[in-house]
Every structure is written in C-alpha cells, then in structure tokens.
Amino acid sequence: MSKIISLAKRRGFIFQSSEIYGGFGSCYDFGPLGVEMKNNIKKAWWDEMIKNHENIVGLDAAILMSPKVWQASGHLTAGFADELVECKSCHKRFRADEIKSQKCPECSGPLMTPRKFNLMIKSFVGPLEDEAATTYLRAETCQGIYVNFENILNSMRLKIPFGIAQIGKAFRNEITPGDFIFRTREFEQMELQWFCHPKDAKRYFDFWQKERLKWYLNLGIKKENLRIKEVPEKEQPHYAKQALDLEYKFPFGWKEIEGIHNRGDWDLSNHSKYSGKDLRYFDEETKERYFPYIIETSGGADRSFLVFLCDAFQEVKGGRTKTTKAVKEIEILLKLHKDVAPIKVAVLPLVRNKPELVKKAKEVYQLLKPHFVCQYDELGSIGRRYRRQDEVGTTLCLTCDFETLKDETLTIRYRDTMKQERVKISDLINILKEKLNV
Ligand code: ATP
C-alpha cells in the first residue's frame, strides 16, 4: 500500500490536505492527475446511470439542508452513530466493532465502556451560534433526493419505476478514518435511488446488484478482487430492509466499496410524517396510492478511485524492455482502463536536440489538445519517457521521429503491450477517437 500512496503523491494524484501545516483530519486533495481521474470515474458512473439506463434523471442538491431533514432521516438519533470506546490511559478512541480485546490496541491500557458517537458534522449558518442556526454537513447525499422526490416526479412527469442519480460530497466525523483515502471525513458519493412498487423491490434489488458489479468489471477491475457480501440483519443500517456490500480485496483486506440497500418506505414515509406533505405516489392506472420502496446503490468516488489505483498498480522487476539499461530497474505500470486513465495521449519527440522534430511534435500536441487530455514531454531518453507515462497509466504514447519529418507519419505505442504502429498524422484524430472511444 505504501508504494501506491507514494506513487499517488509523487505523480500528482493525491496530496494530504493542508500538508505544509502537518495535514488535517484525514482529508485529502486530488492533484492534477487525480482530478482528471476522479472526474473520469464520476463521468463513467454518470454515463452508466443517465445514458445506459432508462428512466433515470440527475440531481445536484445543496450540501446544507434544513436540520429537520436529519431528524426525519434518523441521523440525529442513535441511528447514525457508531459505538466508540476510549482508552482510559492514552485517551485514543476506537470503533467498538474494530476492537478485538478489552485492552487498548495502542498502549494496552484499560478501555471505557462503549458509548454512542454521532457522526454528523455540526455547523452554524447566519451570525448567531445558537440552536436555531444549527445545521449539519450532509452525511449522505441521498436525503437531497428524497426531499426532492415530489419536485422531480412532477417536473419530469415520471412514472414508477424510475431513478434519481446524484454525485456529491458527504461528511462524517469518522472515529477511525484511515487506510489512505478509504475512509476519510470528507468524501464524494455516487448514489442512485430507484423508486419502485413494493412488490417489485426484491427483483430490483437483485437487478441493481448485478448492474453495479458489471460496472466495475467493465472498467477493468479484476473479477477475483470483487465479491458480494450479504449484510446480516443486526449489522444493517437503521433504514434497511435488506442490505449487501460490494467488497474489494484491498492490500489491507476485503472491504466495502458500495452498499446496495432496500430502504423500503423508511425515507418517504418519515419525510411525509415530519414535513406534513403526503409523499405517496398515485398510480393513474390502478388508482393505487402508496409509498414507493427505494432500492439504493451507494458508492464512493474516492473509494472507487482507490480501487482503480490498487487494481491497476503493477511492479515489473527488471523492467519490461530488455533492450535498454532499464533492465535492472523496477518499472511501475498503471494498467488503468482507458476511460479512467487521467492522460489519454502523450506526445513525444524522439529526441529534443533536433528543432524540426520538437516543432513537429508540438504541432501534433496542439492538434490533439482540444480533443483529448494530452501531455507533451521531451525530457530524458525516450525509454525513460515511456516509463514515466506507463507509471501514470497514459493509454497511448505518440512518438515523432525522423521519418515523421519525411512522410508525416508517427508511431502509436500501446501502454500494455508496448506494441507500436505507424499512422498518418492527418488520420490521427479519427484513429484516436476510435481507439479511445470518445
Ligand atoms: P464504512 O462502514 O466502510 O464506513 P458505511 O457502511 O458507513 O461504510 P455507507 O453509508 O453504505 O457506508 O456509504 C456508502 C458508500 O459511501 C460506501 O460504500 C463508500 O464507498 C462511501 N463512503 C462511506 N463512508 C466513507 C468515508 N468515510 N470515506 C470514504 N468513502 C466513504
């Protein structure tokens, strides 16, 4: 794991938040390559929901909401609290479900009895810090969807079954954040809420778990690193009728990456009760009025990011090329799916001491830049530059060499096979669009 973390920092994927001040509370910043890759993940999810499925619409709700929302949802009561244990000696705090003995894992001191710890992060709006001004940073994005159920239903003239998809930030005052960006206090969720008739809930629960698994597989995640775990009833969240976790085999063990829940009518019936608005759905054909059941798929953009990084990371001892001095080095290869890779194309002049070659390569770079996320690199030997691109998962490298100056062709080099192919510059945009599927 430490190698992945160090690559992420060294190559501009992820930095610790406020690093020059010693970091802050397990928060992270996504650097130049990180932001591209995270945007790619979010786009892949968004396209999957909005383009590949029917009857799903999007939403971008505010992070700050009326505190009444969190009363209705159960987040302010015991429902959204972890059991916390504190060490009597060193006062470190741990999640009770992660403690295996009666002793503090840090100093072996005695532990206090577990107590509930609410994970909502409190804040205040307006000039006064009093009860009336209290608000919370949302702990899950889906509440914005439930409170807009009626707005969306009416404005989009939808019929059950339909879905609402949303990507956005969520905040939890986690007791034990950690494992890099696996569990942080500020993170992004990608959530689909699927509204259906109660009699169809089981069928859609099964349908969506298969769809979600397929999404990860289609983006290249290895099958053997994914599994589905039924969540036993006593461990299910307070709102769930049925729950399962999609898990990934991280270097630190099998862990949840996405939760799939049958939330029943918990959310809409509670929001009806607390707001006084009847949020039941009226079926024009059957004349039935009912609370739809909600099937939720709740994944994390940051956690998926870590999945893609871990799954793609490879170290090749001795290097892949046997013709250069690199033979004795360890080469890093990031085998990211082309849709996820932060840089799609790198343009490289074979050498940089030939002005005509540099000029030509820069022209190619300018030609491609409006179409693809591109990088130009002329520093170091060509082999070293290929490895630098392999390390960040760049899908294709384009090299301008002496032949380019004669016949307006260049080579495309494929990251995973290192195979090279010669193409005409005039055909380049179309060829790349086809290869990269953009
Ligand atoms: P965990 O027990 O691992 O903290 P959870 O069961 O509380 O997760 P859910 O409430 O089901 O998680 O959230 C859905 C998804 O949101 C998770 O599968 C994960 O991808 C993401 N997520 C939740 N909490 C965090 C966090 N603290 N940091 C990063 N991602 C998170």
Side-chain angles (χ1 to χ4, degrees):
M1 195 59 207
S2 61
K3 288 175 183 166
I4 294 174
I5 298 174
S6 105
L7 174 77
K9 181 177 176 191
R10 189 162 51 78
R11 297 305 310 271
F13 285 89
I14 299 171
F15 310 121
Q16 218 187 349
S17 161
S18 324
E19 193 183 307
I20 58 168
Y21 291 100
F24 181 72
S26 210
C27 294
Y28 290 90
D29 300 337
F30 289 81
L33 296 199
V35 65
E36 292 292 346
M37 181 162 148
K38 198 171 176 199
N39 283 342
N40 291 341
I41 293 170
K42 291 191 282 183
K43 182 175 183 307
W45 184 89
W46 193 257
D47 285 352
E48 164 72 7
M49 292 301 165
I50 304 291
K51 290 189 187 162
N52 296 352
H53 288 282
E54 274 174 34
N55 257 10
I56 299 182
V57 294
L59 176 74
D60 183 10
I63 288 173
L64 299 179
M65 305 172 83
S66 164
K68 290 178 187 157
V69 170
W70 304 108
Q71 271 158 13
S73 68
H75 281 79
L76 293 183
T77 51
F80 195 63
D82 280 343
E83 291 247 294
L84 169 147
V85 281
E86 191 171 326
C87 171
K88 284 183 185 164
S89 313
C90 71
H91 294 284
K92 282 240 163 72
R93 292 170 164 191
F94 308 92
R95 254 167 73 158
D97 61 351
E98 286 174 354
I99 294 283
K100 305 267 179 306
S101 80
Q102 296 302 310
K103 296 253 164 67
C104 170
E106 294 280 323
C107 72
S108 300
L111 296 171
M112 298 179 195
T113 37
R115 61 192 156 97
K116 290 276 184 192
F117 177 77
N118 195 286
L119 303 181
M120 297 285 286
I121 297 182
K122 210 184 224 183
S123 191
F124 301 93
V125 286
L128 291 176
E129 278 196 20
D130 64 4
E131 259 321 286
T134 302
T135 187
Y136 299 88
L137 302 185
R138 66 182 176 195
E140 55 183 28
T141 53
C142 53
Q143 294 302 326
I145 295 182
Y146 309 140
V147 298
N148 275 299
F149 171 71
E150 203 179 47
N151 284 337
I152 293 176
L153 185 70
N154 294 338
S155 60
M156 303 306 288
R157 304 204 293 149
L158 294 163
K159 282 205 170 77
I160 292 260
F162 70 88
I164 303 176
Q166 180 171 226
I167 299 176
K169 290 262 183 178
F171 304 81
R172 294 181 190 176
N173 197 8
E174 299 279 5
I175 300 165
T176 48
D179 289 321
F180 194 33
I181 56 166
F182 175 79
R183 185 175 289 114
T184 51
R185 295 200 169 102
E186 173 179 342
F187 54 96
E188 246 175 316
Q189 289 189 309
M190 308 188 290
E191 295 197 304
L192 166 74
Q193 307 296 318
W194 181 255
F195 299 85
C196 63
H197 192 282
K199 73 173 168 24
D200 297 326
K202 173 83 187 73
R203 180 161 66 86
Y204 283 120
F205 184 82
D206 294 342
F207 172 79
W208 281 111
Q209 61 168 285
K210 289 195 188 96
E211 289 300 296
R212 294 307 302 139
L213 191 62
K214 230 165 45 190
W215 184 78
Y216 290 96
L217 292 171
N218 287 343
L219 287 173
I221 301 302
K222 297 180 197 89
K223 204 169 169 199
E224 64 271 24
N225 290 340
L226 288 167
R227 74 177 185 195
I228 284 175
K229 195 185 102 186
E230 284 282 343
V231 180
E233 216 176 304
K234 63 176 183 0
E235 288 172 29
Q236 288 178 6
H238 61 280
Y239 47 75
K241 280 193 170 328
Q242 194 183 357
L244 59 82
D245 289 346
L246 233 154
E247 292 192 332
Y248 179 76
K249 195 176 174 191
F250 286 101
F252 44 89
W254 284 99
K255 300 274 177 186
E256 170 187 337
I257 55 170
E258 179 155 343
I260 296 161
H261 308 122
N262 174 356
R263 298 180 71 119
D265 65 2
W266 166 270
D267 303 282
L268 291 181
S269 65
N270 271 323
H271 283 305
S272 278
K273 200 159 79 195
Y274 279 76
S275 69
K277 272 224 157 224
D278 185 357
L279 296 177
R280 284 176 302 166
Y281 173 79
F282 181 66
D283 188 320
E284 301 280 353
E285 277 166 38
T286 61
K287 308 291 175 214
E288 189 187 359
R289 195 178 287 280
Y290 62 92
F291 284 117
Y293 270 27
I294 295 172
I295 306 301
E296 143 182 279
T297 72
S298 175
D302 316 72
R303 231 175 245 192
S304 300
F305 192 111
L306 192 56
V307 168
F308 286 110
L309 217 50
C310 292
D311 217 64
F313 184 87
Q314 282 188 12
E315 270 191 335
V316 186
K317 294 215 172 70
R320 293 194 293 162
T321 28
K322 303 294 169 208
T323 48
T324 65
K325 273 196 280 175
V327 173
K328 289 181 195 67
E329 291 175 12
I330 288 182
E331 234 172 79
I332 293 174
L333 176 63
L334 211 55
K335 270 189 153 182
L336 290 170
H337 187 278
K338 62 178 173 42
D339 294 353
V340 173
I343 302 167
K344 308 296 178 201
V345 186
V347 183
L348 320 168
L350 185 65
V351 289
R352 73 161 169 157
N353 56 5
K354 276 271 166 227
E356 316 92 273
L357 217 52
V358 167
K359 184 167 168 270
K360 189 85 229 163
K362 283 187 175 164
E363 268 171 37
V364 172
Y365 170 65
Q366 289 302 334
L367 173 78
L368 301 181
K369 209 169 157 302
H371 302 276
F372 314 96
V373 179
C374 247
Q375 214 175 55
Y376 172 81
D377 187 9
E378 59 177 30
L379 289 180
S381 73
I382 191 73
R384 198 163 281 280
R385 278 180 279 155
Y386 284 147
R387 285 196 296 284
R388 237 179 357 236
Q389 296 297 337
D390 292 346
E391 193 176 62
V392 296
T394 303
T395 317
L396 303 168
C397 284
L398 307 182
T399 309
C400 293
D401 54 22
F402 296 104
E403 263 182 79
T404 312
L405 299 177
K406 285 188 226 146
D407 63 4
E408 288 284 313
T409 62
L410 50 67
T411 58
I412 299 183
R413 174 201 182 257
Y414 296 86
R415 180 195 64 207
D416 298 345
T417 59
M418 298 193 299
K419 281 212 178 106
Q420 302 203 7
E421 184 185 340
R422 219 158 174 101
V423 300
K424 281 198 199 136
I425 293 176
S426 57
D427 296 337
L428 203 49
I429 291 180
N430 283 341
I431 292 175
L432 293 182
K433 279 192 172 164
E434 206 180 291
K435 290 195 188 302
L436 297 167
N437 201 12
V438 289

